Amino acid sequence: MRIVVTGGAGFIGSNFIFHMLEQYPEYRIICLDKLTYAGNMSTFASVMENQNFRFVKADICDREAIDQVFVEEQPDIVVNFAAESHVDRSIENPGIFLQTNIMGTATLMDACRKYGIQRYHQVSTDEVYGDLPMDCPDLLFTEETPIHPSSPYSSSKAAADLLVLAYYRTYGLPVSISRCSNNYGPYQFPEKLIPLMIANALVDKPLPVYGEGLNVRDWLYVEDHCRAIDLIIHKGRIGEVYNVGGHNEKQNIEIVKLICKELGKPESLITHVTDRKGHDMRYAIDPTKIHNELGWFPEMKFEDGIKKTIQWYLAHWGQTPA
Ligand SMILES: NC(=O)c1ccc[n+]([C@@H]2O[C@H](COP(=O)([O-])OP(=O)(O)OC[C@H]3O[C@@H](n4cnc5c(N)ncnc54)[C@H](O)[C@@H]3O)[C@@H](O)[C@H]2O)c1
């Protein structure tokens, strides 16, 4: 099996590549990444000598470069993680989000149509559903929940999802989509909540929390997400969407206080800053479909996963973030 993993030098993509190399040493894994600020090639130092791993620096919007990789590698599967992924940056500059997240997805799928593929898998997000009210805790996102994104980031991801389903319906492209909740774990760029708070706390810098910090996210350990994608690309039904989430809702402020406690830092470092424009209040995933169809469930308990994650950043950053 030959798998092209786009955006593989980012947070979830790199964890997925390590997962696949370990689970399927006989597979050939090609990481295709533009290496934006969020991509880090040094992550792969330990596998660069592996004959079954190749790194290609390319932009998913670059048709010639993508065609070349398809001709050289003849992939069976493409898993598309490549994206601009930070909501705050999308509010500042939506254009690059539309370009990479929508046009890049179309470019990849065009190559899949041209050269043939067993499966194109789109890594999407629960943010395409918009947000849930705080006062209806039983309400969860299912695959039937209407798409209702709030930010330029989530709109671009939603547009890409619609395009993926359109390529399935129109051209019969064998696609699948996963929509996952917030991930945490190793190799995340320190602009996202958990690594940012760890990075700042380590050097006693203020811990900026939007508004009161009451926004709720459903946190999933990154390896559990990687296992879900592994199952979907091997056994998931073509043309289907699978929600992936941990039934693990936490307020942002809870997470930040937990990090202070684990690092032995005072909560007085927490500084409340002006809320994000259009900030989604609550996300919560119903993962019944992937559980019933593919037997997936989250294995990592949050209490263990967050400790493991903090330990990882401590080991890799020491007292100062990378
Ligand atoms: N982080 C989360 O909690 C989360 C949750 C659900 C879904 N997702 C989705 O998972 C995917 C990966 O997220 P992440 O957190 O690992 O993101 P990330 O920002 O850490 O990594 C994105 C990677 O894509 C690469 N990239 C960006 N533009 C590119 C382009 N034009 N061509 C090729 N490569 C390009 C970057 O260099 C980087 O390596 C995204 O599609 C995101 O929407 C993320």
Side-chain angles (χ1 to χ4, degrees):
M1 194 70 84
R2 305 163 79 87
I3 306 185
V4 167
V5 180
T6 61
F11 165 42
I12 309 175
S14 57
N15 280 282
F16 180 72
I17 287 175
F18 288 129
H19 168 90
M20 294 302 282
L21 288 172
E22 198 179 312
Q23 292 296 314
Y24 310 98
E26 71 284 11
Y27 284 14
R28 179 161 172 80
I29 307 290
I30 302 101
C31 173
L32 186 155
D33 200 293
K34 184 182 174 185
L35 293 180
T36 67
Y37 76 93
N40 186 355
M41 236 197 97
S42 66
T43 305
F44 297 120
S46 63
V47 292
M48 285 312 272
E49 300 298 313
N50 184 333
Q51 295 299 307
N52 277 342
F53 175 75
R54 179 182 171 198
F55 180 82
V56 179
K57 184 174 187 303
D59 185 334
I60 58 166
C61 304
D62 180 344
R63 278 181 197 275
E64 262 180 44
I66 299 301
D67 276 8
Q68 195 184 330
V69 170
F70 271 74
V71 168
E72 286 171 9
E73 296 290 349
Q74 299 170 8
D76 303 298
I77 298 177
V78 170
V79 183
N80 180 25
F81 290 91
E84 289 292 336
S85 69
H86 191 43
V87 175
D88 289 343
R89 287 179 190 257
S90 82
I91 293 169
E92 291 303 314
N93 178 16
I96 180 73
F97 285 71
L98 310 186
Q99 180 65 17
T100 287
N101 299 2
I102 307 173
M103 293 310 295
T105 297
T107 307
L108 283 173
M109 290 194 297
D110 286 341
C112 291
R113 286 180 57 215
K114 186 169 166 187
Y115 297 99
I117 198 85
Q118 283 180 26
R119 179 181 303 252
Y120 171 87
H121 183 76
Q122 177 75 359
V123 181
S124 186
T125 164
D126 60 356
E127 298 193 31
V128 300
Y129 297 119
D131 63 356
L132 293 164
M134 295 295 251
D135 53 359
C136 305
D138 294 339
L139 217 52
L140 306 173
F141 296 134
T142 74
E143 291 80 0
E144 310 308 321
T145 303
I147 300 285
H148 189 59
S150 318
S151 70
Y153 162 68
S154 52
S155 308
S156 68
K157 293 294 291 184
D161 281 13
L162 296 178
L163 206 53
V164 171
L165 294 173
Y167 271 55
Y168 169 62
R169 167 93 186 245
T170 309
Y171 306 115
L173 191 73
V175 305
S176 48
I177 297 176
S178 50
R179 294 185 180 142
C180 190
S181 58
N182 276 47
N183 285 210
Y184 68 99
Y187 301 111
Q188 192 168 26
F189 190 78
E191 64 183 353
K192 304 279 171 66
L193 184 74
I194 291 179
L196 176 68
M197 295 302 150
I198 297 172
N200 283 13
L202 281 175
V203 291
D204 298 310
K205 273 171 65 175
L207 307 177
V209 170
Y210 281 131
E212 293 302 308
L214 302 179
N215 307 64
V216 171
R217 301 292 181 259
D218 178 359
W219 292 93
L220 183 74
Y221 192 63
V222 64
E223 175 64 18
D224 281 324
H225 185 189
C226 295
R227 283 192 307 102
I229 296 171
D230 175 354
L231 276 170
I232 295 168
I233 61 175
H234 287 101
K235 297 186 186 150
R237 284 185 293 140
I238 295 293
E240 292 292 318
V241 174
Y242 291 92
N243 282 357
V244 183
H247 279 308
N248 180 46
E249 292 179 49
K250 303 267 180 234
Q251 290 179 330
N252 288 347
I253 192 76
E254 281 179 73
I255 302 269
V256 180
K257 286 184 177 172
L258 186 66
I259 290 170
C260 287
K261 188 167 160 230
E262 287 294 326
L263 291 175
K265 298 289 180 176
E267 288 182 8
S268 57
L269 285 176
I270 297 172
T271 340
H272 294 275
V273 299
T274 311
D275 209 350
R276 169 188 282 167
K277 290 189 181 88
H279 205 170
D280 283 340
M281 279 316 293
R282 174 176 166 251
Y283 305 137
I285 281 274
D286 177 354
T288 304
K289 179 175 174 180
I290 189 169
H291 177 71
N292 288 349
E293 281 190 23
L294 305 179
W296 178 89
F297 58 90
E299 287 181 1
M300 180 66 84
K301 282 202 206 101
F302 184 74
E303 300 69 40
D304 300 332
I306 192 73
K307 282 195 182 123
K308 201 172 164 176
T309 301
I310 292 172
Q311 287 311 317
W312 188 89
Y313 286 105
L314 278 177
H316 286 77
W317 289 347
Q319 286 307 299
T320 44

